[in-house]
Amino acid sequence: MADGALKPLVEVRNLKMHFPIFSGILRRRAGEVKAVDGVSFDIFEGETLGLVGESGCGKSTAGRAILRLYDITEGSIRIDGAEIGSQPQDDLRAMRPRMQMVFQDPQASLNPRMSVAGIIGEPLDEHTKLSKSEKLDRIYELMDAVGLNRDFANRYPHEFSGGQRQRIGIARALALNPKFIVCDEPIAALDVSIQAQVVNLLEDLQEKFGLTYLFISHDLSMVRHIADRVAVMYLGKVVELAPRDALYTVPKHPYTEALLSAVPEPDPRLEAKVERIILKGDVPSPANPPKGCNFCTRCPKVMEICRSEEPEFREVAPGHFTACHLHDQTKSQTAGKTAASEAQ
Amino acid sequence: MTETAINPEIQKIRPPRNQWWDVWDQFKTHRGALIGAAFFIFIVLGVFIGPWLWTIDPTYIDIRARNSGPSWAHPMGTDQLGRDTFARMMAGGQVSIAVGLTAMTLSLLLGTAIGVLAGFFRRLDGPLMRFTDLFLALPLLPLLLVIILLFRDSLRAAFGPETGIFILIVFVIGITSWMQTARIVRGDVLALKEREFVLAARSIGTPPRRMITRHILPNVLSPIMVSATLGIATAIITESALSFLGLGFPSDFPTWGRLLYDSTDYLQQYPERVIWPGLAISLTVLSVNYIGDGLRDALDPRIRGR
């Protein structure tokens, strides 16, 4: 990736989202679920960053926290040069048109009592002062853009199929010409055939409107198809961040290796030869993560240092970041390399 | 809907029309609701316009015609003082329906407001729900007695005997019957608040007040509707209970509840006197229930068009 030429649209630094746990008769604060625990990454303008990880690792929470749908515990988020990490919700309202979200479950993310025109028109009502006919024109324009029949404007969400509902959700996200869209598992609730349609639609729209995506998914093959760079999350932390091809061919982190080895292979003869890395045990509770590296309880290549010291998230190859003690020794070499690449 | 699916080319694209037309279209298909609405309108017109046509004064005492059964002169008979029951039914209906509707509206507004605020704003939840529990725990009858004894005379002085009592009764019924609505609404709002479309609205930047009016309220309409229709019945019956205790309207002032209680003494000799107000109360309540049922269906797009 020619990172130097692109400017980051989204800069996330040390993002933490902890949810308090209350217990006992007095509902005292007993601890916190560290859903997202110190995540840092950039998303460059016009690119798609894939965010993968198993269920419950904090992907969706990270996506929502970046849009400040939650009040974050700590960290800084800059979108398009504006710091939104610590702004009160009222001040964020003006920023909302620039960042939008496509939700996982198209059934739940559309108000069943509103017509399609009402749903797509809601952002326009909130942020623009269009006349009734201008608004209708814009709604029709958006429906064309996502491939919905204009005649559907009067209908209600329950009358649509999953794919069509997701299109409505995408049209709503596009209504205000955002720059950055968080796609929170937009295809997880859809059939495989519809998944392809929706992903292709997202790609077309990206080309047409110059959108930047944070594409959250647990479907590694789909992420390989759509993403430019991929970040792998485990238990609230990003363990590896790399350009797509580098991550899929030479994964640096043992967790990424295990995750990639689980991708099904369509050819049955090859499938028989695939060596699966089977992780033992369960994901530790995010309320009580292990000491040292979060992955040390299940890592096949665990070392003594992993149980005591938390690995640093560092660049081990140009543009390829990982947090693993296995790559501690490569630090000096790559440090030289990156310095050289930065100098160019 | 089906026509457009069959020939989308031929049909011109319809601009989004007002949702209330869809509601009306669906309401029309609910036979019970239509009959209920027609009957309710008939009763309302009957009690408010009827006295213009049936000009006997409901308080006129014709002692020689007392305790007479139904006849052309007195279609519903007369009571023990010879007052025309038909005229008294109409006069009583005005008051009962007015009390029922206004007290229900008041308790509904109060209950919905408190329920939505408690469910939507976490900080208000504790105080408002404890307040609701407080009202639920109050012994209602003694409370009513105290309120009425305290305020009856000053309200009478300010608004005249009938209007003063009317305001007092509506207020008393309203503030003692909102708790169930508040609790049901709060529960529904708590569940709705976690739905993704509310999160989507937040990501759009919809402020809380419009989030409530646009996303929360339309979705809690069904339970509100149900408690509204039940509320009318309760209000009419509470009013009659108050009148019976001598705390409501003056004893010569007819309401359906008062007529019912007055005639229970003569239940054995003249059972029809109990039947008239009883029938009026139950039919009104039934028709309102049907209207509520139809409205609830019509307002839900998932049921609409079925």
Side-chain angles (χ1 to χ4, degrees):
Chain A
M1 295 271 331
D3 291 354
L6 292 165
K7 82 177 204 322
L9 180 73
V10 181
E11 296 169 77
V12 180
R13 290 290 171 272
N14 196 28
L15 175 67
K16 286 185 183 173
M17 182 70 237
H18 296 177
F19 296 102
I21 307 169
F22 298 100
S23 70
I25 301 168
L26 296 173
R27 315 300 299 159
R28 243 188 292 200
R29 196 183 169 115
E32 49 205 5
V33 174
K34 293 172 180 163
V36 177
D37 197 19
V39 162
S40 304
F41 56 78
D42 289 343
I43 306 175
F44 298 101
E45 221 166 320
E47 81 162 348
T48 302
L49 177 71
L51 186 59
V52 297
E54 64 196 288
S55 305
C57 72
K59 306 183 294 281
S60 293
T61 310
R64 290 174 181 187
I66 289 167
L67 291 189
R68 280 298 310 280
L69 297 182
Y70 298 134
D71 286 327
I72 61 173
T73 313
E74 206 184 308
S76 110
I77 304 161
R78 292 177 77 82
I79 292 185
D80 208 9
E83 171 65 46
I84 61 162
S86 48
Q87 297 257 33
Q89 292 288 350
D90 293 343
D91 299 356
L92 282 175
R93 199 171 125 76
M95 283 288 299
R96 292 281 179 208
R98 272 184 264 182
M99 45 189 194
Q100 284 294 311
M101 185 152 188
V102 176
F103 289 87
Q104 172 172 7
D105 184 354
Q107 165 93 47
S109 65
L110 305 175
N111 186 342
R113 304 247 168 183
M114 280 166 89
S115 67
V116 171
I119 291 169
I120 301 177
E122 188 185 359
L124 301 172
D125 287 336
E126 285 301 327
H127 291 283
T128 60
K129 288 194 174 68
L130 297 177
S131 73
K132 224 173 176 178
S133 62
E134 283 171 330
K135 202 175 81 184
L136 195 60
D137 286 343
R138 176 81 182 126
I139 291 170
Y140 282 151
E141 208 176 287
L142 287 161
M143 290 179 72
D144 291 343
V146 298
L148 283 170
N149 188 334
R150 287 187 175 198
D151 201 31
F152 292 166
N154 266 334
R155 299 198 182 176
Y156 290 86
H158 72 276
E159 297 174 64
F160 293 96
S161 71
Q164 286 173 318
R165 281 189 206 136
Q166 197 55 285
R167 285 166 194 266
I168 301 170
I170 294 170
R172 171 175 61 186
L174 286 176
L176 295 166
N177 293 319
K179 285 185 148 181
F180 174 52
I181 297 184
V182 173
C183 305
D184 183 5
E185 308 211 27
I187 52 169
L190 306 176
D191 282 351
V192 180
S193 56
I194 308 294
Q195 284 187 356
Q197 280 180 18
V198 170
V199 165
N200 289 339
L201 172 68
L202 285 170
E203 282 188 314
D204 290 347
L205 294 171
Q206 181 169 40
E207 213 166 282
K208 207 156 139 198
F209 300 114
L211 301 170
T212 305
Y213 289 139
L214 173 65
F215 192 88
I216 300 169
S217 181
H218 55 246
D219 186 340
L220 288 164
S221 21
M222 206 48 104
V223 168
R224 186 174 199 168
H225 174 72
I226 195 173
D228 299 310
R229 292 190 305 144
V230 180
V232 181
M233 267 186 94
Y234 181 78
L235 207 62
K237 288 194 159 103
V238 173
V239 295
E240 188 162 2
L241 171 65
R244 172 189 59 191
D245 296 329
L247 187 112
Y248 279 85
T249 48
V250 278
K252 302 274 188 196
H253 196 279
Y255 179 65
T256 316
E257 283 172 20
L259 208 58
L260 289 175
S261 83
V263 176
E265 169 62 52
D267 186 341
R269 270 172 301 176
L270 286 177
E271 170 77 12
K273 287 182 209 155
V274 170
E275 274 181 53
R276 291 264 143 82
I277 304 172
I278 301 194
L279 295 178
K280 299 221 166 46
D282 278 329
V283 185
S285 156
N288 185 20
K291 198 168 172 275
C293 176
N294 270 350
F295 192 48
C296 71
T297 51
R298 303 169 77 197
C299 185
K301 299 177 180 170
V302 66
M303 300 181 295
E304 211 39 60
I305 186 173
C306 300
R307 300 194 201 278
S308 55
E309 249 177 77
E310 205 182 310
E312 194 190 333
F313 188 63
R314 64 162 70 89
E315 196 165 14
V316 293
H320 197 143
F321 298 81
T322 187
C324 183
H325 287 303
L326 284 173
H327 300 282
D328 278 354
Q329 66 276 20
T330 56
K331 183 184 172 189
S332 48
Q333 303 163 17
T334 47
K337 259 192 222 163
T338 18
S341 67
E342 269 166 13
Q344 280 166 5
Chain B
M1 293 276 164
T2 40
E3 298 97 307
T4 57
I6 295 160
N7 47 9
E9 308 288 311
I10 302 162
Q11 184 116 15
K12 259 198 94 181
I13 294 162
R14 300 162 302 169
R17 65 173 191 165
N18 198 325
Q19 198 185 340
W20 293 105
W21 285 110
D22 294 336
V23 172
W24 171 238
D25 281 350
Q26 172 68 21
F27 189 78
K28 278 191 300 189
T29 65
H30 195 297
R31 189 175 301 166
L34 270 192
I35 295 173
F39 187 77
F40 188 65
I41 291 170
F42 166 74
I43 288 198
V44 170
L45 290 182
V47 299
F48 283 97
I49 295 178
W52 297 82
L53 309 171
W54 189 258
T55 46
I56 297 180
D57 186 351
T59 52
Y60 173 72
I61 297 174
D62 180 8
I63 203 75
R64 274 173 300 177
R66 71 178 197 272
N67 293 334
S68 58
S71 65
W72 285 113
H74 303 290
M76 291 183 181
T78 56
D79 65 1
Q80 72 280 10
L81 293 175
R83 292 174 294 194
D84 181 57
T85 309
F86 188 49
R88 286 174 73 74
M89 281 291 293
M90 289 190 291
Q94 290 176 7
V95 180
S96 285
I97 287 177
V99 165
L101 287 179
T102 26
M104 179 271 290
T105 317
L106 182 68
S107 91
L108 211 65
L109 288 179
L110 212 65
T112 311
I114 287 181
V116 165
L117 288 178
F120 197 80
F121 299 104
R122 175 173 278 225
R123 213 172 296 161
L124 292 177
D125 191 13
L128 282 181
M129 279 299 112
R130 294 302 79 73
F131 181 67
T132 310
D133 289 344
L134 180 96
F135 262 85
L136 277 172
L138 281 178
L140 282 190
L141 219 44
L143 179 76
L144 293 182
L145 301 183
V146 171
I147 294 179
I148 287 172
L149 284 178
L150 283 179
F151 298 108
R152 181 164 55 181
D153 294 331
S154 45
L155 276 171
R156 268 185 178 169
F159 299 100
E162 268 119 51
T163 326
I165 286 289
F166 179 81
I167 293 172
L168 187 61
I169 284 187
V170 163
F171 176 75
V172 158
I173 296 175
I175 63 157
T176 52
S177 60
W178 55 269
M179 292 81 77
Q180 278 78 9
T181 318
R183 288 196 140 191
I184 296 166
V185 169
R186 169 190 172 259
D188 270 28
V189 171
L190 277 181
L192 274 174
K193 203 175 66 165
E194 300 303 321
R195 296 276 296 275
E196 268 188 343
F197 65 79
V198 175
L199 202 66
R202 197 180 310 156
S203 84
I204 285 165
T206 310
R209 58 177 186 284
R210 276 202 288 281
M211 206 114 84
I212 289 172
T213 53
R214 192 181 291 154
H215 296 288
I216 303 285
L217 275 183
N219 280 293
V220 291
L221 216 56
S222 309
I224 293 179
M225 220 56 147
V226 173
S227 45
T229 49
L230 294 176
I232 291 187
T234 329
I236 291 179
I237 290 162
T238 314
E239 181 275 317
S240 46
L242 284 178
S243 303
F244 182 63
L245 289 171
L247 294 164
F249 292 97
S251 54
D252 58 341
F253 189 82
T255 70
W256 283 346
R258 158 77 48 195
L259 289 177
L260 193 64
Y261 278 113
D262 282 352
S263 32
T264 44
D265 297 341
Y266 302 91
L267 188 60
Q268 304 248 305
Q269 300 104 302
Y270 310 106
E272 77 274 6
R273 272 192 222 163
V274 185
I275 290 172
W276 301 127
L279 209 61
I281 291 175
S282 21
L283 286 180
T284 309
V285 169
L286 193 68
S287 64
V288 172
N289 271 339
Y290 268 108
I291 296 172
D293 200 35
L295 261 185
R296 196 194 54 203
D297 285 2
L299 286 171
D300 190 339
R302 279 162 295 188
I303 297 172
R304 212 184 291 155
R306 226 181 245 175

Short mmCIF file of all heavy atoms in Angstrom, two decimals, chain B residues 100 103-104 107 173 177 226-236:
data_model
loop_
_atom_site.label_atom_id
_atom_site.label_comp_id
_atom_site.label_asym_id
_atom_site.label_seq_id
_atom_site.Cartn_x
_atom_site.Cartn_y
_atom_site.Cartn_z
N GLY B 100 -65.97 9.52 31.36
CA GLY B 100 -65.17 8.39 30.90
C GLY B 100 -64.08 8.82 29.94
O GLY B 100 -62.91 8.47 30.12
N ALA B 103 -61.47 11.38 31.70
CA ALA B 103 -60.63 10.74 32.72
C ALA B 103 -59.68 9.75 32.06
O ALA B 103 -58.49 9.69 32.42
CB ALA B 103 -61.50 10.02 33.74
N MET B 104 -60.16 9.02 31.05
CA MET B 104 -59.30 8.08 30.34
C MET B 104 -58.17 8.82 29.66
O MET B 104 -57.01 8.42 29.75
CB MET B 104 -60.15 7.30 29.34
CG MET B 104 -59.41 6.31 28.50
SD MET B 104 -58.78 7.03 26.99
CE MET B 104 -60.28 7.33 26.08
N SER B 107 -55.64 9.96 32.28
CA SER B 107 -54.81 8.90 32.87
C SER B 107 -53.88 8.32 31.81
O SER B 107 -52.76 7.93 32.09
CB SER B 107 -55.70 7.81 33.47
OG SER B 107 -55.97 6.81 32.54
N ILE B 173 -60.14 10.50 39.15
CA ILE B 173 -60.06 9.21 38.45
C ILE B 173 -58.79 9.15 37.63
O ILE B 173 -58.09 8.14 37.60
CB ILE B 173 -61.31 8.99 37.57
CG1 ILE B 173 -62.55 8.89 38.45
CG2 ILE B 173 -61.17 7.73 36.74
CD1 ILE B 173 -63.84 8.78 37.69
N SER B 177 -55.53 6.21 38.17
CA SER B 177 -55.62 5.03 37.31
C SER B 177 -54.56 4.99 36.22
O SER B 177 -54.68 4.22 35.29
CB SER B 177 -57.01 4.96 36.67
OG SER B 177 -57.24 6.11 35.91
N VAL B 226 -55.06 -0.61 24.27
CA VAL B 226 -55.82 -1.56 25.07
C VAL B 226 -56.16 -0.95 26.42
O VAL B 226 -57.32 -0.98 26.87
CB VAL B 226 -55.02 -2.87 25.26
CG1 VAL B 226 -55.73 -3.77 26.24
CG2 VAL B 226 -54.84 -3.58 23.94
N SER B 227 -55.18 -0.32 27.06
CA SER B 227 -55.51 0.24 28.37
C SER B 227 -56.44 1.43 28.23
O SER B 227 -57.20 1.72 29.15
CB SER B 227 -54.25 0.60 29.17
OG SER B 227 -53.33 1.28 28.39
N ALA B 228 -56.42 2.10 27.07
CA ALA B 228 -57.35 3.21 26.87
C ALA B 228 -58.78 2.71 26.85
O ALA B 228 -59.65 3.24 27.54
CB ALA B 228 -57.04 3.92 25.57
N THR B 229 -59.02 1.65 26.08
CA THR B 229 -60.40 1.18 25.96
C THR B 229 -60.90 0.61 27.28
O THR B 229 -62.04 0.80 27.66
CB THR B 229 -60.53 0.14 24.85
OG1 THR B 229 -59.52 -0.83 25.03
CG2 THR B 229 -60.35 0.77 23.50
N LEU B 230 -59.99 -0.07 27.99
CA LEU B 230 -60.40 -0.58 29.30
C LEU B 230 -60.59 0.57 30.27
O LEU B 230 -61.43 0.51 31.17
CB LEU B 230 -59.36 -1.55 29.83
CG LEU B 230 -59.21 -2.84 29.03
CD1 LEU B 230 -58.09 -3.68 29.60
CD2 LEU B 230 -60.51 -3.61 29.02
N GLY B 231 -59.81 1.62 30.08
CA GLY B 231 -59.85 2.77 30.99
C GLY B 231 -61.20 3.47 31.00
O GLY B 231 -61.66 3.92 32.04
N ILE B 232 -61.84 3.54 29.83
CA ILE B 232 -63.15 4.20 29.76
C ILE B 232 -64.13 3.48 30.67
O ILE B 232 -64.84 4.10 31.47
CB ILE B 232 -63.67 4.21 28.32
CG1 ILE B 232 -62.81 5.15 27.48
CG2 ILE B 232 -65.12 4.64 28.27
CD1 ILE B 232 -63.34 5.36 26.10
N ALA B 233 -64.13 2.15 30.57
CA ALA B 233 -65.04 1.37 31.39
C ALA B 233 -64.78 1.62 32.87
O ALA B 233 -65.71 1.89 33.65
CB ALA B 233 -64.88 -0.10 31.07
N THR B 234 -63.51 1.53 33.25
CA THR B 234 -63.17 1.73 34.66
C THR B 234 -63.58 3.11 35.13
O THR B 234 -64.09 3.26 36.24
CB THR B 234 -61.64 1.57 34.86
OG1 THR B 234 -61.17 0.66 33.91
CG2 THR B 234 -61.32 1.11 36.26
N ALA B 235 -63.38 4.11 34.27
CA ALA B 235 -63.71 5.48 34.67
C ALA B 235 -65.21 5.62 34.91
O ALA B 235 -65.63 6.20 35.92
CB ALA B 235 -63.23 6.46 33.60
N ILE B 236 -66.02 5.07 34.01
CA ILE B 236 -67.48 5.17 34.18
C ILE B 236 -67.90 4.48 35.47
O ILE B 236 -68.70 5.00 36.26
CB ILE B 236 -68.20 4.52 32.97
CG1 ILE B 236 -67.97 5.38 31.72
CG2 ILE B 236 -69.69 4.37 33.24
CD1 ILE B 236 -68.62 4.83 30.47
#
